[in-house]
């Protein structure tokens, strides 16, 4: 177990950590600093840092306007980073509606939808469709967990875009997919 | 253009065709018999054959009870044929909500969801997850079109099921996928 640190030091480090990764949950922060969730919330309040949902939304809004191939509301997950034609990151907060009744494990097609969305969002094309996808589910995801999808355009040949997508849950890779998207115009 | 045939012959053939393929639409039947849609509807009425939606539902209800790995409502599409452990067929009526705003073309993940569902429905396992999928979209599908997915279990090795899925729209292949599903117990 980590030793607790002085409040002033904790708040300085908290600010620094959240500036590097604005999508750390309060729960993750309690583990990092070994304090209660109330302490974290109080820290955020004192530092003027909004809750996760707000932070995600703030970042996402700046990114939607960059996307060419999709309408902003068509992306499954919140788009939190985008360099058009290169790479992008989205976050999906999973819930029970996306899961199998029996096991509470998120159904494959929801994870696929997040991956396909971010793959499509990153390419610099007006209209595109998925041509081919080779995908692998590596670890089951429980409902309620937060998925971070990272997409990278690895090659462009003619009207074909080759995009790799990796999805993580708490730093652990749960899915990887290779997509070939075809630009229609 | 085909010559029209006498009503009695048409109704006999209509009955025969629908017994072989209960999922022919009235529109498809007008083309087969070169008559108006009103004529087809009247023929069905006289023959006591319900409309497509009813026919699909009747067949589907018999099949849901056979599925082991999924809750009945969890299948994307109507399950119209199922031989557990071997093969299955589902139908998905697509609509505008499943399509891209710009193009009215059905989004890939909805087609994937139908494919993954039927793949999961056919296997003889209590709980299963998708491990790997290699998929190919062959032709864009416009909103409103009816998709027929056919799944076949091609191999079982240990707790792994290898399932091939082909999806057709008006006999034309629009999607094919190879799935490896992993049984969890």
């Amino acid at each position: 177990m980590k030793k607790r640190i002085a409040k002033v030091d904790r708040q300085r480090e908290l600010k620094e950590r959240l500036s590097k990764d604005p999508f750390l949950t309060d729960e993750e922060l309690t583990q990092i600093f070994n304090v209660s969730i109330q302490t974290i919330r109080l820290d955020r309040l004192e530092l003027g840092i909004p809750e996760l949902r707000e932070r995600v939304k703030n970042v996402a809004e700046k990114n939607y306007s960059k996307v060419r191939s999709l309408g902003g509301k068509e992306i499954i997950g919140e788009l939190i980073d985008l360099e058009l034609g290169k790479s992008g990151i989205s976050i999906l907060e999973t819930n029970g509606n996306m899961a199998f009744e029996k096991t509470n494990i998120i159904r494959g097609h929801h994870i696929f939808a997040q991956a396909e969305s971010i793959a499509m969002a990153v390419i610099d094309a007006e209209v595109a469709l998925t041509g081919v996808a080779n995908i692998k589910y590596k670890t089951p995801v429980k409902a309620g967990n937060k998925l971070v999808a990272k997409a990278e355009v690895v090659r462009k040949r003619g009207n074909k875009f080759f995009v790799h997508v990796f999805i993580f849950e708490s730093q652990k890779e749960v899915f990887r997919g290779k997509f070939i998207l075809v630009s229609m115009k």
Side-chain angles (χ1 to χ4, degrees), chain A:
Chain A
M1 218 166 179
K2 256 191 176 176
K3 225 185 121 198
R4 292 196 189 193
I5 53 178
K7 176 176 169 181
V8 56
D9 295 327
R10 184 182 67 236
Q11 291 198 344
R12 191 175 31 74
E13 201 182 325
L14 184 95
K15 208 170 162 178
E16 205 179 295
R17 291 231 179 201
L18 282 176
S19 76
K20 281 188 196 146
D21 178 2
F23 307 111
L24 284 170
T25 62
D26 286 353
E27 287 73 18
E28 285 164 341
L29 291 168
T30 63
Q31 281 166 21
I32 290 169
F33 293 107
N34 188 29
V35 293
S36 72
I37 197 147
Q38 285 77 9
T39 305
I40 293 294
R41 283 179 191 149
L42 214 57
D43 280 350
R44 282 201 295 96
L45 204 67
E46 289 179 17
L47 294 165
I49 297 171
E51 57 164 2
L52 176 65
R53 198 169 302 271
E54 274 308 302
R55 299 201 299 275
V56 171
K57 236 177 77 185
N58 291 345
V59 177
E61 273 166 10
K62 288 185 213 142
N63 287 303
Y64 287 122
S65 59
K66 300 185 204 161
V67 175
R68 290 186 64 202
S69 61
L70 286 170
K73 285 177 193 153
E74 295 191 311
I75 295 169
I76 314 288
E78 297 270 4
L79 186 63
I80 59 151
D81 189 35
L82 184 71
E83 202 173 336
L84 197 65
K86 284 198 173 160
S87 63
I89 298 176
S90 79
I91 286 186
L92 180 68
E93 309 260 3
T94 66
N95 63 50
N97 295 332
M98 305 176 182
F100 289 108
E101 291 165 17
K102 281 187 195 169
T103 53
N104 209 29
I105 290 172
I106 298 299
R107 300 184 61 172
H109 70 266
H110 292 289
I111 298 174
F112 180 83
Q114 182 188 17
E116 193 193 35
S117 285
I118 188 73
M120 205 152 276
V122 296
I123 65 170
D124 193 357
E126 201 57 48
V127 175
L129 295 173
T130 302
V132 173
N134 291 329
I135 64 178
K136 191 168 188 175
Y137 294 88
K138 305 192 77 176
T139 318
V141 177
K142 284 277 174 190
N145 285 341
K146 184 183 69 170
L147 296 178
V148 179
K150 298 184 180 178
E152 198 186 342
V153 182
V154 293
R155 201 159 68 242
K156 183 182 178 316
R157 211 161 53 198
N159 65 340
K160 292 204 174 88
F161 296 82
F162 297 74
V163 185
H164 290 183
V165 179
F166 300 88
I167 299 184
F168 301 87
E169 191 259 301
S170 306
Q171 328 292 335
K172 201 165 86 186
E173 189 179 306
V174 296
F175 171 99
R176 57 166 66 197
K178 294 178 181 176
F179 291 82
I180 304 176
L181 306 179
V182 184
S183 158
M184 308 299 280
K185 62 176 183 184

